[in-house]
């Protein structure tokens, strides 16, 4: 039986779960080159027996490695190491960025352990605004709406009250342009613990939504910068880039995400990607493709990757995939995150992590722009995250959304002869790809006849590919719908599409 080159040593005193210890050990063996491309790993049964642990624990570790693209699961053959260009060039220790004058350490090692439906303003679909659908459909499977029924309103109210009671005059004065340092410190700790991103608070800029951060980024980078986007993509970001007079190239995707060959041919200096959970396809970019993108960016000084990490918190079958920036050792990733889906759209607080070179440009040309987020809102969010309320709320919502997803997938299993189901590993929507050669227009029309709103995949393509190259597909979001509405909506869709 195949064995690993080095025996895994599990530490019962380690605070990490056993599956995390296995996952991290194998991942480092691959990254260091001790496990080579195409090499077969022990079966989960054999490894579980040799470690004297549950096979389920090993399956969880292998599943995470497959999700991230380190391993490939070959049916009836086992697990094999994937090919990953450039992965072995990563140094053993994180590269410490050059410190800017007057700044603290850039790389941090400290970790930190209503209404039922709200539309997220960060991800608007091409099919029209939610308000236009009100009253027209019995059930709206919007991929943009979230569930606010479990939001800890009393906790938020308590934090707000305490901050206002204890508020000093400084809280009502104009704050730092990048946002209050206390919140930036908290965000940097959160990113390290949850996304594997090592950055200092001085690299973070806080803004009222991703729109503002992209507008600020245009001031930093300059005008007429050619940018590449995945196709299909998040259309609002595309419109923002076009408003900058940025030439936009739309890069086709395969099962791993943006095709790097086409990216090279585009002549772009920027590439806007969503590696943790591509919107709207739901693709999770494997590590091999991530390394290809990082290599592309590192080949020229003016090239950068914009990583939009809009809903990475919601992953159900394993722990969240590390951010692309976590693998960036050449400081080429501009990382953008938001609290709109994880907490509430109305909070309107997003953040951007800048590479050192762009941070210098920001300070030279843009530091006079005032922060667009109220200092009181920043203080409330800081305490909500810092004191553990955010983590507890996320854990509750993951369980809540996972239950909805399981209900949705259970109802869709009866339609598997008509559709391929994908994109279920993360996020708040799934993708149904038709097997019966029907058009998206027909699927949408039949659904509307039953009072159901679905979202055709074609609405998200900026350059529609030939029909022969793409099967009809529709998006079903489940975040905001109550369980009984999901159950009834699927029953009506089944009758409409199979009748």
């Amino acid at each position: 039986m195949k064995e690993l080159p080095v025996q895994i040593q599990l530490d019962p005193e380690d605070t990490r779960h056993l599956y995390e210890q296995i996952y991290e050990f194998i991942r480092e063996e691959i990254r260091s080159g001790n496990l080579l491309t195409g090499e077969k790993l022990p079966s989960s049964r054999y490894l579980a027996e040799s470690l004297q642990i549950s096979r389920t624990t090993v399956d969880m570790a292998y599943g995470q490695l497959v999700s991230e693209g380190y391993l490939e699961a070959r049916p009836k053959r086992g697990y094999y190491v994937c090919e990953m260009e450039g992965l072995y060039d990563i140094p053993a220790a994180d590269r410490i960025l050059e410190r800017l004058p007057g700044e603290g350490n850039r790389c941090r090692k400290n970790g930190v352990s209503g209404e039922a439906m709200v539309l997220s303003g960060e991800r608007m679909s091409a099919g029209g605004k939610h308000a236009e659908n009100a009253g027209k459909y019995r059930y709206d499977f919007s991929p943009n709406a979230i569930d606010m029924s479990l939001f800890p309103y009393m906790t938020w109210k308590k934090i707000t009250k305490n901050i206002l009671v204890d508020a000093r005059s400084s809280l009502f004065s104009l704050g730092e342009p990048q946002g209050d340092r206390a919140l930036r410190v908290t965000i940097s700790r959160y990113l390290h613990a949850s996304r594997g991103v090592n950055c200092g608070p001085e690299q973070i800029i806080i803004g009222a939504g991703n729109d503002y951060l992209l507008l600020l980024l245009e001031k930093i980078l300059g005008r007429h910068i050619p940018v590449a986007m995945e196709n299909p993509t998040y259309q609002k970001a595309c419109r923002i880039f076009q408003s900058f007079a940025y030439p936009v190239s739309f890069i086709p995707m395969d099962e791993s995400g943006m095709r790097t060959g086409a990216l090279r041919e585009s002549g772009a200096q920027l590439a806007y990607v969503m590696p943790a959970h591509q919107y709207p396809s739901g693709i999770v970019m494997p590590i091999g493709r991530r390394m290809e993108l990082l290599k592309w960016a590192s080949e020229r000084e003016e090239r950068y990757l914009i990583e939009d990490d809009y809903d990475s918190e919601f992953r159900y079958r394993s722990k969240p995939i590390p951010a692309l920036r976590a693998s960036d050792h050449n400081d080429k990733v501009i990382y953008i995150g938001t609290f709109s889906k994880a907490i509430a759209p109305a909070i309107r607080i997003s953040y951007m992590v800048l590479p050192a070179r762009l941070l210098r440009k920001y300070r030279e040309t843009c530091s006079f722009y005032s922060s667009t987020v109220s200092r009181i809102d920043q203080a409330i969010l800081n305490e909500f995250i810092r004191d553990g309320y955010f983590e507890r709320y996320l854990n509750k919502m993951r369980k809540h959304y996972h239950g909805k997803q399981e209900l949705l997938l259970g109802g869709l299993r009866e339609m598997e002869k008509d559709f391929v189901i994908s994109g279920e590993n993360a996020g708040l929507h799934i993708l149904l790809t038709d097997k019966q050669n029907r058009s998206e227009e027909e699927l949408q029309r039949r659904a509307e006849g039953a009072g159901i709103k679905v979202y055709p995949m074609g609405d998200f393509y900026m350059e529609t590919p030939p029909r022969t190259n793409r099967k009809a597909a529709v998006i079903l979001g489940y975040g905001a719908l109550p369980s009984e509405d999901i159950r009834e909506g699927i029953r009506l869709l089944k009758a409409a599409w199979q009748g």
Side-chain angles (χ1 to χ4, degrees):
M1 176 60 67
K2 169 71 179 177
E3 295 185 358
L4 292 171
V6 181
Q7 180 64 36
I8 300 175
Q9 299 295 327
L10 298 180
D11 183 1
E13 302 298 324
D14 197 315
T15 57
R16 297 172 298 169
H17 294 294
L18 293 178
Y19 90 89
E20 291 182 294
Q21 296 184 46
I22 298 170
Y23 152 76
E24 291 178 7
F25 177 88
I26 296 175
R27 183 190 64 179
E28 292 311 309
E29 288 294 290
I30 295 173
R31 293 169 71 92
S32 64
N34 292 329
L35 286 171
L36 304 178
T37 298
E39 189 167 354
K40 184 178 181 180
L41 270 68
S43 69
S44 59
R45 183 186 300 276
Y46 177 83
L47 187 57
E49 290 176 353
S50 65
L51 296 175
Q52 297 184 334
I53 59 176
S54 165
R55 184 179 177 183
T56 301
T57 301
V58 178
D59 286 335
M60 289 176 65
Y62 278 0
Q64 181 70 19
L65 291 162
V66 169
S67 297
E68 295 185 20
Y70 288 99
L71 298 182
E72 174 188 4
R74 301 179 185 176
K76 300 182 180 180
R77 296 181 61 188
Y79 293 93
Y80 294 80
V81 178
C82 291
E83 181 178 356
M84 288 159 281
E85 180 182 6
L87 186 62
Y88 308 118
D89 296 331
I90 295 176
D94 288 340
R95 183 172 66 83
I96 305 300
L97 302 176
E98 179 183 355
R99 182 179 298 181
L100 297 177
E103 293 183 344
N105 291 335
R106 185 175 307 283
C107 294
R108 303 184 55 86
K109 296 297 181 183
N110 297 325
V112 291
S113 52
E115 290 185 10
M117 178 165 58
V118 174
L119 193 69
S120 172
E122 298 298 337
R123 285 292 180 279
M124 295 299 293
S125 76
K129 294 180 173 59
H130 179 76
E132 297 173 359
N133 298 330
K136 183 177 179 181
Y137 301 100
R138 294 177 62 185
Y139 306 111
D140 185 350
F141 282 85
S142 170
N144 310 306
I146 64 173
D147 192 337
M148 292 294 294
S149 63
L150 299 181
F151 184 77
Y153 292 101
M154 295 305 298
T155 298
W156 194 268
K157 182 178 179 181
K158 176 183 175 182
I159 294 173
T160 302
K161 180 179 179 181
N162 291 341
I163 286 174
L164 291 176
V165 168
D166 299 334
R168 298 181 296 273
S169 60
S170 60
L171 193 61
F172 294 91
S173 63
L174 193 63
E176 299 176 69
Q178 290 182 229
D180 283 359
R181 182 174 177 83
L183 178 56
R184 289 187 282 122
V185 169
T186 297
I187 290 175
S188 70
R189 291 169 60 86
Y190 166 71
L191 289 177
H192 173 74
S194 66
R195 308 296 296 123
V197 172
N198 291 321
C199 67
E202 67 279 354
Q203 292 176 263
I204 297 173
I205 299 175
I206 296 169
N210 289 12
D211 300 358
Y212 167 77
L213 295 177
L214 290 177
L215 288 167
L216 189 61
L217 190 59
E218 186 261 348
K219 301 300 180 185
I220 298 170
L221 296 172
R223 296 184 65 82
H224 309 296
I225 305 296
V227 59
M229 301 187 73
E230 300 154 320
N231 196 26
T233 192
Y234 173 38
Q235 292 188 334
K236 190 174 184 181
C238 176
R239 296 190 183 104
I240 291 173
F241 288 134
Q242 290 173 332
S243 75
F244 301 158
Y246 278 13
V248 181
S249 300
F250 303 107
I251 309 301
M253 299 171 61
D254 57 21
E255 66 278 359
S256 296
M258 178 182 283
R259 296 179 179 176
T260 50
L263 172 60
R264 291 182 184 280
E265 295 173 359
S266 71
Q269 293 181 26
L270 296 174
Y272 178 93
V273 294
M274 295 166 273
H277 185 235
Q278 203 275 339
Y279 185 87
S281 70
I283 291 174
V284 177
M285 186 180 290
I287 186 65
R289 183 60 54 84
R290 293 172 183 232
M291 299 312 299
E292 292 175 12
L293 289 176
L294 288 170
K295 181 180 179 182
W296 169 84
S298 66
E299 290 171 352
R300 294 188 182 179
E301 183 178 357
E302 70 273 10
R303 286 180 180 173
Y304 288 96
L305 298 167
I306 301 175
E307 178 179 12
D308 184 348
D309 205 25
Y310 71 100
D311 73 347
S312 60
E313 294 88 357
F314 299 117
R315 186 169 177 82
Y316 311 113
R317 288 165 174 76
S318 55
K319 68 178 186 178
I321 303 294
L324 176 65
R325 185 175 170 89
S327 300
D328 175 25
H329 295 271
N330 290 307
D331 208 21
K332 302 297 289 186
V333 175
I334 302 162
Y335 180 91
I336 296 178
T338 180
F339 294 104
S340 290
K341 276 208 168 184
I343 301 180
I347 291 176
R348 297 295 295 163
I349 298 180
S350 297
Y351 51 91
M352 176 168 61
V353 180
L354 287 177
R357 179 169 171 262
L358 297 184
L359 181 59
R360 293 187 186 96
K361 292 186 66 176
Y362 163 79
R363 290 184 168 174
E364 292 169 359
T365 61
C366 303
S367 59
F368 61 88
Y369 285 99
S370 300
S371 175
T372 54
V373 181
S374 159
R375 297 193 69 194
I376 295 175
D377 289 341
Q378 291 185 61
I380 295 169
L381 179 60
N382 178 56
E383 188 168 325
F384 188 71
I385 300 173
R386 185 198 64 200
D387 293 352
Y389 298 111
F390 180 48
E391 184 178 3
R392 289 193 288 274
Y393 177 59
L394 273 183
N395 290 335
K396 181 187 295 185
M397 292 309 297
R398 286 191 193 103
K399 183 177 180 180
H400 184 59
Y401 285 139
H402 190 200
K404 291 187 178 187
Q405 187 198 64
E406 288 294 304
L407 179 62
L408 176 65
L409 293 175
L412 293 174
R413 288 192 186 101
E414 298 180 10
M415 289 191 274
E416 284 183 322
K417 66 181 179 62
D418 297 313
F419 294 95
V420 175
I421 304 170
S422 60
E424 69 274 18
N425 289 326
L428 302 179
H429 69 270
I430 58 96
L431 190 65
L432 294 181
T433 303
D434 187 62
K435 297 180 181 179
Q436 305 299 328
N437 295 320
R438 292 173 291 188
S439 68
E440 291 177 355
E441 292 76 12
E442 179 183 354
L443 294 173
Q444 185 179 30
R445 176 172 47 79
R446 289 192 180 190
E448 288 180 349
I452 309 295
K453 175 64 175 176
V454 298
Y455 294 77
M457 189 68 164
D459 288 351
F460 297 87
Y461 279 90
M462 301 305 295
E463 289 181 349
T464 305
R467 178 62 62 181
T468 54
N469 291 348
R470 183 176 65 83
K471 291 183 177 293
V474 295
I475 296 169
L476 295 182
Y478 53 86
L481 289 173
S483 297
E484 58 271 20
D485 289 2
I486 294 175
R487 190 178 293 109
E488 178 63 12
I490 293 302
R491 185 189 69 80
L492 293 172
L493 283 177
K494 180 183 176 183
W497 286 339
Q498 294 184 330

